[in-house]
Amino acid sequence: MAHIAHLPPDQALTSLRSSLQGLSSAEAARRRVEFGPNRVEAARRVSPWLSFLREFTHFFALILWLAAGLALMADYYQPGSGMRPLAFAILGVIAVNGVFSFWQSWRAERALAALRELLPQRVRRLRDGVEQTVKAAELVPGDIVMLGEGDKVPADCRILATDGIRINLATLTGEAQARSGLVEAVAEPDPLAARNLLLAGTLVVSGNATALVFATGMRTEFGRIAHLTQTAGEPESPLQREIRRVSRIVAVLAAALGVVFFVIGRAIGLPFWDTFMFAIGVIVANVPEGLLPTVTLSLAMATQRMARRNALVRHLPAVEALGSTTVICSDKTGTLTENRMSVRRWHVAPGVNAVPEALRAIAGLCHDLRFTAGDASGDPMELALWQFAGKPPASLRCGELPFDADRRRMSVMHAVDDAVHLRCKGAPESVIACCSTRWTPQGEAPLNHAERVELTRVQEAMAADGLRVIACAERRFAPGTAAHEGGLCLVGLIGLEDPPRADVAEAVSRCHIAGIRVIMVTGDHPSTALAIGREIGLVRGATPVVLRGESIRRMTPAQLQLALDAPEVICARVSAEQKMLVVQALQRKGEIVAVTGDGVNDAPALKTADIGIAMGRSGTDVAKEAADLVLLDDHFGSIVNAVEEGRAVFANIRKFLTYILTSNIPEVVPYLAFVLLRIPLPLTVIQILAVDLGTDLLPALALGAEPPRDDVMHQAPRRRGERLLNWPLLLRAYLWLGLIQAALAMTAFFVVLQHDGWRWGEVLSPQDPTYLAATTACLAAIVCAQVANLFVCRDPLEASWRLPLWSNRLLWVGLGCELLLLALIVYAPALQSLFGTAALPLGLWPWLALGAALLFALEESRKAWMRHRQRGRPSPR
C-alpha cells in the first residue's frame, strides 16, 4: 500500500477506515487495546539499587575486595598480625568510593530533572462527529484532530484541510525555519520532508488544520528517534578503558610479586604461615588503595570547575573523555547559531540609504504574530521582520490572503483613510511575478526586464551568503474595490539569517589551534550551512566537502570514512540516523568524537558519541537525557573551556599516578630485605596503609586539582591509543623515584637500629622500643620523600620552581595535612598504638629533610637533562 502522504485525503481516510466525523467510540476503544496509549515509552532505566551495586563490583573494586579477603584470612590463621585493621580499612575505601561515585551520578541526574514529556497533554478531536477535548494519550490511528496556532502536534497526522498552517520542525530536523502545510498528495518518500504530514512533537506556529492521525506512540517519527536513543549503547570512555587496564596491570604485578615472595620464603625455610602473611603484605603494598578514591575525587573536582564554567557533567568519566576529543560534530541551529531569525540585509531602489517607510510597514504589519501584553510571539521569521520594522503595534486588518504552499506569499489588507492598503511578502520569485512597478523615491516606476534580471542576481547573492530572502510589495485599492495580488509595486528585498552566537568564531579558532576538527552536522540547507561555516571560520578553504544526508545514506561505510578524510566537511540535510552514521564512521577512523546538539533529532548521535554535549537552555530534555555534558549557558565557547579542563584531567591523573606508584617501591623493598637479608621487617602492613590511605591521599588529590597549563590548548589531542600508564611513567615511578625513596627509607631504618645498638642477626620483638623507632623512621623517611615528590610530580619535564606556587591552594593544604598526620602518627599515643610507631628524636628530622632534598635535586637534574635532550621539541605532557 502507498504511504499515506502519497494518497489524496479521501483515500487516506479510507486506508485507515475512518471518516470526517471521526471514529465511533466502540471502534476507538478497540483500537486503543490494539495500539496502546499514545505516548513515548520511557527508556528502560537501570534500577538505582543495581547502579549502586555496580560501584562495588568493577574490576579495581574486585581487586580491593580480594586484598581485604586475604587480609582477613591471614588474621584468622595468625591473630594479632595487624591484618584485621587493614582489611576493615580497605573495606572502608571500597564503601566510601562506591557511595561517593553513586552520589555524584545521582546528583547530576537530579540536576537535569530526567526526561520530561514533549508531547501535549490535551488535544481537540472528533469522536462520533462530536468535538471533544481529551488527553493526547487517548488518541488512536484514525482519529480526527483539530490543531491551531501554538499547539504541539500530538501524533503523526495527515492534513485533511488547512488554513495557512505552518510548522516548526526544529526538534526533529534541526531546521529553524517554519514550513507550510498542504492538503494535496505528495510524492516525497521521506516523511520528514512531506509537507502534507504533521509529525509528533513539532509546533504549529501559525494557521490551523484538521488532520487524520495515522501513527501514535513509539510508531511516530518522534518515537522512532526516541527508540534509537534508547537502544544506542553506552560507549566506554577512554578513561574507563585506561583505569581498567591499569587495574589489571596492578593486579598482575601485585599477584606475581606475592607469589615470588612466597616461593622465596619457602625456599629459604620460613614457616608457611609467616611466608603467606608476608606474601599478602607484598600484594597489599603493591595495590594502590588510594588510586580509586583519588581518581574519583579528582574527576569530581573537575566537574565542579566545569560547573563554574557553565558545563554540567552527568557522567564522571566524560570529564577526561572530553579532553581527548579529536573531532566535534556540531549541530548548527541553536548550537552554532542563536536559533532566532534576524534581518541582516535589505535591498531597495539604487541611491536609497535609509529603510523606506513602505518597507517597514510591510515587514511590521504583514504577519500572523500573537500579542500578549504587548509582547509578540510566533514564527521566528515574522518576529525578526516585526523587530526590523521597529515593533509596530498590532493593527486592525480588514482582509487577509494567508500564506499557502502554491502561492508562497502572504498578503494582508488594512483600511487607511479612504483606501485599502494591501501589503504582501513572500518568496521573491513569487512576489516579483505579481509586480508591474517598482518603488523609487520619486514614485512608482515600471519594472522592466533588466531590473528583473538585476533583482534575481541580488537575490542569488544574498542566498549565497546563507540568507533567507523575502520580497515585499504593496498596492492601494479604492474603497469598494476587491483587493487582489496583481499589479503590485515591489518595495524591496529583505535578507534574514539565523545569526551565529557571539563567541562561536573565537571558539572555533581555539579548536583549530588545539588540533580539534569541527564538523557541522545539520538538517539545514547546504548553502545556509556553508555560509554560516564560512562566517564563523569553520570553513576557510575554497572547496570544502559538503555531504548531503541522502548521499550519506547511499554510501558504504568505507566510502563515508574516506569522504570524512577531507580537512573541511559540512554535513547538511541529515536525519537522526545519518548523524549517527557520521559519528560511527569517525569512530571507526580512530577519532574520539564529541557531538553537540539540542533537538530530539540529535539524541541518537549524542548517545553514540564518545561524549555527547547538549544545550541546557534551548535543548530538549531528550537531548539532555542522552548527553554526558550539558552546557548551562548554551555557548559553544563553553565546550572549548571544558576541553581545556578535560585535557588537564588526563595530565593530572598521570601526575598523581606517578606520585602514588612511587611509594610502592619503598613499601615492597622492606619485605624483600626481610626475606633475603634476615633482618627485622622494616615496615609493617598497617604502616603501609598509613601511607596509601593516609599521608598520600590529600597530596595526590591536590595533584589531581592542578589547573590547566597556559599552553594546554596549543597542543594536538593525544592519540586514541595513548596509554595513561605508559613505560616512561612506570620507569620514572618504580626504577627512579621509587628506588631513591626505598634507599632513603632503608637508610633511616638501619641508622636508628645501629644507633640503638642492634647487631646483625638479632631478633627483635614487635613491641621492642628499638624496633618501633626503626620502623617509624622508615615510615617517616617515605613520607618526607613524598613531600619532595609532591612538587617534582607537578610536571614531568618543567622545573618545579618555574611552576606557579600559589595556583593550586589544595597543594599546600595537602602538604600541611600530610605533615600533620605524620606528626600525629609519630607522637600521638593513640595513633602510636594503632600504627606500631614510637616517638623519634628531634635530631633525626633534619636528616630526613636532607634525604627529601636529595630526591628533589636528583629528579630536577634528570628533568634538566631531559630538557636538554629535547630542546627544540615540544615538551610531552
PDB file of all heavy atoms in Angstrom, residues 4-16 18-20 144 158-161 182-185 196 210 212:
ATOM      1  N   ILE A   4       0.862   7.017   3.290  1.00  0.00           N
ATOM      2  CA  ILE A   4      -0.307   7.887   3.445  1.00  0.00           C
ATOM      3  C   ILE A   4      -0.069   9.277   2.866  1.00  0.00           C
ATOM      4  O   ILE A   4      -1.011   9.946   2.428  1.00  0.00           O
ATOM      5  CB  ILE A   4      -0.705   7.968   4.930  1.00  0.00           C
ATOM      6  CG1 ILE A   4      -2.139   8.512   5.066  1.00  0.00           C
ATOM      7  CG2 ILE A   4       0.314   8.788   5.731  1.00  0.00           C
ATOM      8  CD1 ILE A   4      -2.721   8.295   6.434  1.00  0.00           C
ATOM      9  N   ALA A   5       1.201   9.735   2.802  1.00  0.00           N
ATOM     10  CA  ALA A   5       1.494  11.034   2.210  1.00  0.00           C
ATOM     11  C   ALA A   5       1.258  11.038   0.714  1.00  0.00           C
ATOM     12  O   ALA A   5       1.045  12.101   0.114  1.00  0.00           O
ATOM     13  CB  ALA A   5       2.945  11.428   2.510  1.00  0.00           C
ATOM     14  N   HIS A   6       1.276   9.854   0.084  1.00  0.00           N
ATOM     15  CA  HIS A   6       1.113   9.761  -1.361  1.00  0.00           C
ATOM     16  C   HIS A   6      -0.358   9.685  -1.764  1.00  0.00           C
ATOM     17  O   HIS A   6      -0.675   9.699  -2.957  1.00  0.00           O
ATOM     18  CB  HIS A   6       1.845   8.531  -1.901  1.00  0.00           C
ATOM     19  CG  HIS A   6       3.283   8.487  -1.529  1.00  0.00           C
ATOM     20  ND1 HIS A   6       4.054   7.342  -1.583  1.00  0.00           N
ATOM     21  CD2 HIS A   6       4.123   9.461  -1.078  1.00  0.00           C
ATOM     22  CE1 HIS A   6       5.283   7.601  -1.184  1.00  0.00           C
ATOM     23  NE2 HIS A   6       5.345   8.895  -0.871  1.00  0.00           N
ATOM     24  N   LEU A   7      -1.261   9.570  -0.767  1.00  0.00           N
ATOM     25  CA  LEU A   7      -2.688   9.411  -1.051  1.00  0.00           C
ATOM     26  C   LEU A   7      -3.415  10.742  -0.914  1.00  0.00           C
ATOM     27  O   LEU A   7      -3.080  11.547  -0.051  1.00  0.00           O
ATOM     28  CB  LEU A   7      -3.305   8.405  -0.072  1.00  0.00           C
ATOM     29  CG  LEU A   7      -2.690   6.997  -0.036  1.00  0.00           C
ATOM     30  CD1 LEU A   7      -3.339   6.180   1.075  1.00  0.00           C
ATOM     31  CD2 LEU A   7      -2.859   6.317  -1.382  1.00  0.00           C
ATOM     32  N   PRO A   8      -4.446  10.976  -1.732  1.00  0.00           N
ATOM     33  CA  PRO A   8      -5.293  12.151  -1.508  1.00  0.00           C
ATOM     34  C   PRO A   8      -6.084  11.974  -0.217  1.00  0.00           C
ATOM     35  O   PRO A   8      -6.192  10.857   0.307  1.00  0.00           O
ATOM     36  CB  PRO A   8      -6.210  12.170  -2.741  1.00  0.00           C
ATOM     37  CG  PRO A   8      -6.153  10.797  -3.294  1.00  0.00           C
ATOM     38  CD  PRO A   8      -4.833  10.228  -2.942  1.00  0.00           C
ATOM     39  N   PRO A   9      -6.684  13.050   0.319  1.00  0.00           N
ATOM     40  CA  PRO A   9      -7.337  12.979   1.628  1.00  0.00           C
ATOM     41  C   PRO A   9      -8.399  11.886   1.747  1.00  0.00           C
ATOM     42  O   PRO A   9      -8.442  11.172   2.748  1.00  0.00           O
ATOM     43  CB  PRO A   9      -7.942  14.374   1.786  1.00  0.00           C
ATOM     44  CG  PRO A   9      -7.060  15.258   0.983  1.00  0.00           C
ATOM     45  CD  PRO A   9      -6.646  14.438  -0.191  1.00  0.00           C
ATOM     46  N   ASP A  10      -9.268  11.741   0.733  1.00  0.00           N
ATOM     47  CA  ASP A  10     -10.335  10.744   0.854  1.00  0.00           C
ATOM     48  C   ASP A  10      -9.774   9.327   0.918  1.00  0.00           C
ATOM     49  O   ASP A  10     -10.248   8.484   1.692  1.00  0.00           O
ATOM     50  CB  ASP A  10     -11.328  10.888  -0.298  1.00  0.00           C
ATOM     51  CG  ASP A  10     -10.645  10.794  -1.669  1.00  0.00           C
ATOM     52  OD1 ASP A  10      -9.409  10.962  -1.728  1.00  0.00           O
ATOM     53  OD2 ASP A  10     -11.353  10.545  -2.657  1.00  0.00           O
ATOM     54  N   GLN A  11      -8.741   9.047   0.128  1.00  0.00           N
ATOM     55  CA  GLN A  11      -8.139   7.718   0.173  1.00  0.00           C
ATOM     56  C   GLN A  11      -7.364   7.495   1.466  1.00  0.00           C
ATOM     57  O   GLN A  11      -7.282   6.365   1.964  1.00  0.00           O
ATOM     58  CB  GLN A  11      -7.224   7.516  -1.036  1.00  0.00           C
ATOM     59  CG  GLN A  11      -7.957   7.450  -2.365  1.00  0.00           C
ATOM     60  CD  GLN A  11      -7.016   7.186  -3.527  1.00  0.00           C
ATOM     61  OE1 GLN A  11      -5.955   6.575  -3.365  1.00  0.00           O
ATOM     62  NE2 GLN A  11      -7.404   7.647  -4.715  1.00  0.00           N
ATOM     63  N   ALA A  12      -6.790   8.569   2.018  1.00  0.00           N
ATOM     64  CA  ALA A  12      -6.101   8.451   3.304  1.00  0.00           C
ATOM     65  C   ALA A  12      -7.089   8.045   4.394  1.00  0.00           C
ATOM     66  O   ALA A  12      -6.801   7.173   5.227  1.00  0.00           O
ATOM     67  CB  ALA A  12      -5.416   9.769   3.664  1.00  0.00           C
ATOM     68  N   LEU A  13      -8.273   8.664   4.375  1.00  0.00           N
ATOM     69  CA  LEU A  13      -9.317   8.293   5.339  1.00  0.00           C
ATOM     70  C   LEU A  13      -9.730   6.836   5.156  1.00  0.00           C
ATOM     71  O   LEU A  13      -9.856   6.072   6.120  1.00  0.00           O
ATOM     72  CB  LEU A  13     -10.530   9.212   5.181  1.00  0.00           C
ATOM     73  CG  LEU A  13     -10.401  10.635   5.760  1.00  0.00           C
ATOM     74  CD1 LEU A  13     -11.494  11.529   5.213  1.00  0.00           C
ATOM     75  CD2 LEU A  13     -10.479  10.579   7.291  1.00  0.00           C
ATOM     76  N   THR A  14      -9.913   6.442   3.901  1.00  0.00           N
ATOM     77  CA  THR A  14     -10.331   5.067   3.625  1.00  0.00           C
ATOM     78  C   THR A  14      -9.285   4.062   4.081  1.00  0.00           C
ATOM     79  O   THR A  14      -9.598   2.999   4.621  1.00  0.00           O
ATOM     80  CB  THR A  14     -10.594   4.895   2.118  1.00  0.00           C
ATOM     81  OG1 THR A  14     -11.605   5.833   1.708  1.00  0.00           O
ATOM     82  CG2 THR A  14     -11.043   3.475   1.797  1.00  0.00           C
ATOM     83  N   SER A  15      -8.023   4.410   3.888  1.00  0.00           N
ATOM     84  CA  SER A  15      -6.951   3.467   4.253  1.00  0.00           C
ATOM     85  C   SER A  15      -6.911   3.187   5.749  1.00  0.00           C
ATOM     86  O   SER A  15      -6.447   2.127   6.174  1.00  0.00           O
ATOM     87  CB  SER A  15      -5.600   4.020   3.797  1.00  0.00           C
ATOM     88  OG  SER A  15      -5.229   5.153   4.577  1.00  0.00           O
ATOM     89  N   LEU A  16      -7.417   4.121   6.547  1.00  0.00           N
ATOM     90  CA  LEU A  16      -7.457   3.921   7.993  1.00  0.00           C
ATOM     91  C   LEU A  16      -8.869   3.631   8.490  1.00  0.00           C
ATOM     92  O   LEU A  16      -9.133   3.651   9.698  1.00  0.00           O
ATOM     93  CB  LEU A  16      -6.897   5.154   8.719  1.00  0.00           C
ATOM     94  CG  LEU A  16      -5.383   5.348   8.611  1.00  0.00           C
ATOM     95  CD1 LEU A  16      -4.966   6.701   9.134  1.00  0.00           C
ATOM     96  CD2 LEU A  16      -4.655   4.261   9.374  1.00  0.00           C
ATOM     97  N   SER A  18     -11.586   5.380   8.456  1.00  0.00           N
ATOM     98  CA  SER A  18     -12.102   6.487   9.246  1.00  0.00           C
ATOM     99  C   SER A  18     -12.939   7.379   8.355  1.00  0.00           C
ATOM    100  O   SER A  18     -13.106   7.111   7.149  1.00  0.00           O
ATOM    101  CB  SER A  18     -10.941   7.273   9.875  1.00  0.00           C
ATOM    102  OG  SER A  18     -11.408   8.268  10.745  1.00  0.00           O
ATOM    103  N   SER A  19     -13.476   8.462   8.909  1.00  0.00           N
ATOM    104  CA  SER A  19     -14.287   9.416   8.145  1.00  0.00           C
ATOM    105  C   SER A  19     -14.098  10.805   8.729  1.00  0.00           C
ATOM    106  O   SER A  19     -13.467  10.964   9.785  1.00  0.00           O
ATOM    107  CB  SER A  19     -15.771   9.025   8.197  1.00  0.00           C
ATOM    108  OG  SER A  19     -16.278   9.229   9.508  1.00  0.00           O
ATOM    109  N   LEU A  20     -14.672  11.798   8.068  1.00  0.00           N
ATOM    110  CA  LEU A  20     -14.546  13.171   8.537  1.00  0.00           C
ATOM    111  C   LEU A  20     -15.274  13.395   9.856  1.00  0.00           C
ATOM    112  O   LEU A  20     -15.071  14.421  10.517  1.00  0.00           O
ATOM    113  CB  LEU A  20     -15.066  14.146   7.478  1.00  0.00           C
ATOM    114  CG  LEU A  20     -14.204  14.265   6.213  1.00  0.00           C
ATOM    115  CD1 LEU A  20     -14.905  15.133   5.175  1.00  0.00           C
ATOM    116  CD2 LEU A  20     -12.831  14.842   6.556  1.00  0.00           C
ATOM    117  N   ILE A 144      -9.614  11.988  14.160  1.00  0.00           N
ATOM    118  CA  ILE A 144      -9.550  13.296  13.510  1.00  0.00           C
ATOM    119  C   ILE A 144      -9.267  14.336  14.582  1.00  0.00           C
ATOM    120  O   ILE A 144      -9.978  14.410  15.587  1.00  0.00           O
ATOM    121  CB  ILE A 144     -10.868  13.635  12.787  1.00  0.00           C
ATOM    122  CG1 ILE A 144     -11.257  12.526  11.810  1.00  0.00           C
ATOM    123  CG2 ILE A 144     -10.752  14.978  12.071  1.00  0.00           C
ATOM    124  CD1 ILE A 144     -10.283  12.308  10.689  1.00  0.00           C
ATOM    125  N   ARG A 158      -1.996  13.200   9.003  1.00  0.00           N
ATOM    126  CA  ARG A 158      -2.126  13.585   7.583  1.00  0.00           C
ATOM    127  C   ARG A 158      -3.106  14.741   7.501  1.00  0.00           C
ATOM    128  O   ARG A 158      -4.232  14.660   8.000  1.00  0.00           O
ATOM    129  CB  ARG A 158      -2.623  12.380   6.776  1.00  0.00           C
ATOM    130  CG  ARG A 158      -3.127  12.679   5.359  1.00  0.00           C
ATOM    131  CD  ARG A 158      -1.976  13.118   4.450  1.00  0.00           C
ATOM    132  NE  ARG A 158      -2.325  13.044   3.047  1.00  0.00           N
ATOM    133  CZ  ARG A 158      -2.915  14.016   2.353  1.00  0.00           C
ATOM    134  NH1 ARG A 158      -3.242  15.162   2.952  1.00  0.00           N
ATOM    135  NH2 ARG A 158      -3.157  13.863   1.065  1.00  0.00           N
ATOM    136  N   ILE A 159      -2.671  15.874   6.898  1.00  0.00           N
ATOM    137  CA  ILE A 159      -3.532  17.055   6.801  1.00  0.00           C
ATOM    138  C   ILE A 159      -4.716  16.757   5.879  1.00  0.00           C
ATOM    139  O   ILE A 159      -4.544  16.276   4.754  1.00  0.00           O
ATOM    140  CB  ILE A 159      -2.742  18.264   6.276  1.00  0.00           C
ATOM    141  CG1 ILE A 159      -1.609  18.631   7.251  1.00  0.00           C
ATOM    142  CG2 ILE A 159      -3.661  19.466   6.068  1.00  0.00           C
ATOM    143  CD1 ILE A 159      -0.709  19.748   6.751  1.00  0.00           C
ATOM    144  N   LEU A 160      -5.931  17.052   6.367  1.00  0.00           N
ATOM    145  CA  LEU A 160      -7.144  16.899   5.554  1.00  0.00           C
ATOM    146  C   LEU A 160      -7.644  18.247   5.068  1.00  0.00           C
ATOM    147  O   LEU A 160      -8.189  18.351   3.967  1.00  0.00           O
ATOM    148  CB  LEU A 160      -8.238  16.203   6.375  1.00  0.00           C
ATOM    149  CG  LEU A 160      -7.904  14.803   6.915  1.00  0.00           C
ATOM    150  CD1 LEU A 160      -9.052  14.279   7.768  1.00  0.00           C
ATOM    151  CD2 LEU A 160      -7.603  13.840   5.765  1.00  0.00           C
ATOM    152  N   ALA A 161      -7.497  19.273   5.880  1.00  0.00           N
ATOM    153  CA  ALA A 161      -7.894  20.633   5.498  1.00  0.00           C
ATOM    154  C   ALA A 161      -7.026  21.602   6.279  1.00  0.00           C
ATOM    155  O   ALA A 161      -6.646  21.321   7.422  1.00  0.00           O
ATOM    156  CB  ALA A 161      -9.374  20.871   5.806  1.00  0.00           C
ATOM    157  N   LEU A 182       0.207  21.453   3.418  1.00  0.00           N
ATOM    158  CA  LEU A 182      -0.749  21.436   2.333  1.00  0.00           C
ATOM    159  C   LEU A 182      -1.577  20.162   2.391  1.00  0.00           C
ATOM    160  O   LEU A 182      -1.244  19.207   3.100  1.00  0.00           O
ATOM    161  CB  LEU A 182      -0.067  21.561   0.979  1.00  0.00           C
ATOM    162  CG  LEU A 182       0.914  20.454   0.584  1.00  0.00           C
ATOM    163  CD1 LEU A 182       0.721  20.093  -0.865  1.00  0.00           C
ATOM    164  CD2 LEU A 182       2.339  20.920   0.810  1.00  0.00           C
ATOM    165  N   VAL A 183      -2.636  20.142   1.631  1.00  0.00           N
ATOM    166  CA  VAL A 183      -3.601  19.042   1.673  1.00  0.00           C
ATOM    167  C   VAL A 183      -3.300  17.991   0.617  1.00  0.00           C
ATOM    168  O   VAL A 183      -3.483  16.788   0.832  1.00  0.00           O
ATOM    169  CB  VAL A 183      -5.035  19.598   1.476  1.00  0.00           C
ATOM    170  CG1 VAL A 183      -6.052  18.464   1.358  1.00  0.00           C
ATOM    171  CG2 VAL A 183      -5.394  20.531   2.621  1.00  0.00           C
ATOM    172  N   GLU A 184      -2.793  18.400  -0.526  1.00  0.00           N
ATOM    173  CA  GLU A 184      -2.644  17.504  -1.664  1.00  0.00           C
ATOM    174  C   GLU A 184      -1.641  16.384  -1.392  1.00  0.00           C
ATOM    175  O   GLU A 184      -0.750  16.517  -0.566  1.00  0.00           O
ATOM    176  CB  GLU A 184      -2.197  18.290  -2.909  1.00  0.00           C
ATOM    177  CG  GLU A 184      -3.217  19.279  -3.437  1.00  0.00           C
ATOM    178  CD  GLU A 184      -3.276  20.547  -2.593  1.00  0.00           C
ATOM    179  OE1 GLU A 184      -2.359  20.743  -1.760  1.00  0.00           O
ATOM    180  OE2 GLU A 184      -4.234  21.340  -2.749  1.00  0.00           O
ATOM    181  N   ALA A 185      -1.805  15.284  -2.126  1.00  0.00           N
ATOM    182  CA  ALA A 185      -0.856  14.177  -2.050  1.00  0.00           C
ATOM    183  C   ALA A 185       0.498  14.629  -2.586  1.00  0.00           C
ATOM    184  O   ALA A 185       0.582  15.489  -3.468  1.00  0.00           O
ATOM    185  CB  ALA A 185      -1.373  12.986  -2.851  1.00  0.00           C
ATOM    186  N   ASN A 196       2.482  17.433   3.579  1.00  0.00           N
ATOM    187  CA  ASN A 196       1.094  17.167   3.975  1.00  0.00           C
ATOM    188  C   ASN A 196       1.024  16.341   5.255  1.00  0.00           C
ATOM    189  O   ASN A 196      -0.045  15.875   5.630  1.00  0.00           O
ATOM    190  CB  ASN A 196       0.329  16.472   2.846  1.00  0.00           C
ATOM    191  CG  ASN A 196       0.975  15.172   2.421  1.00  0.00           C
ATOM    192  OD1 ASN A 196       1.970  14.743   2.995  1.00  0.00           O
ATOM    193  ND2 ASN A 196       0.397  14.538   1.406  1.00  0.00           N
ATOM    194  N   THR A 210      -7.210  20.604  10.091  1.00  0.00           N
ATOM    195  CA  THR A 210      -7.861  19.372  10.521  1.00  0.00           C
ATOM    196  C   THR A 210      -7.031  18.228   9.964  1.00  0.00           C
ATOM    197  O   THR A 210      -6.646  18.250   8.790  1.00  0.00           O
ATOM    198  CB  THR A 210      -9.297  19.285   9.978  1.00  0.00           C
ATOM    199  OG1 THR A 210     -10.044  20.405  10.464  1.00  0.00           O
ATOM    200  CG2 THR A 210      -9.964  17.993  10.405  1.00  0.00           C
ATOM    201  N   LEU A 212      -5.731  13.829  10.141  1.00  0.00           N
ATOM    202  CA  LEU A 212      -6.025  12.425  10.417  1.00  0.00           C
ATOM    203  C   LEU A 212      -4.815  11.782  11.096  1.00  0.00           C
ATOM    204  O   LEU A 212      -3.708  11.784  10.547  1.00  0.00           O
ATOM    205  CB  LEU A 212      -6.334  11.703   9.098  1.00  0.00           C
ATOM    206  CG  LEU A 212      -6.410  10.183   9.126  1.00  0.00           C
ATOM    207  CD1 LEU A 212      -7.636   9.720   9.927  1.00  0.00           C
ATOM    208  CD2 LEU A 212      -6.457   9.627   7.699  1.00  0.00           C
TER     209      LEU A 212
END
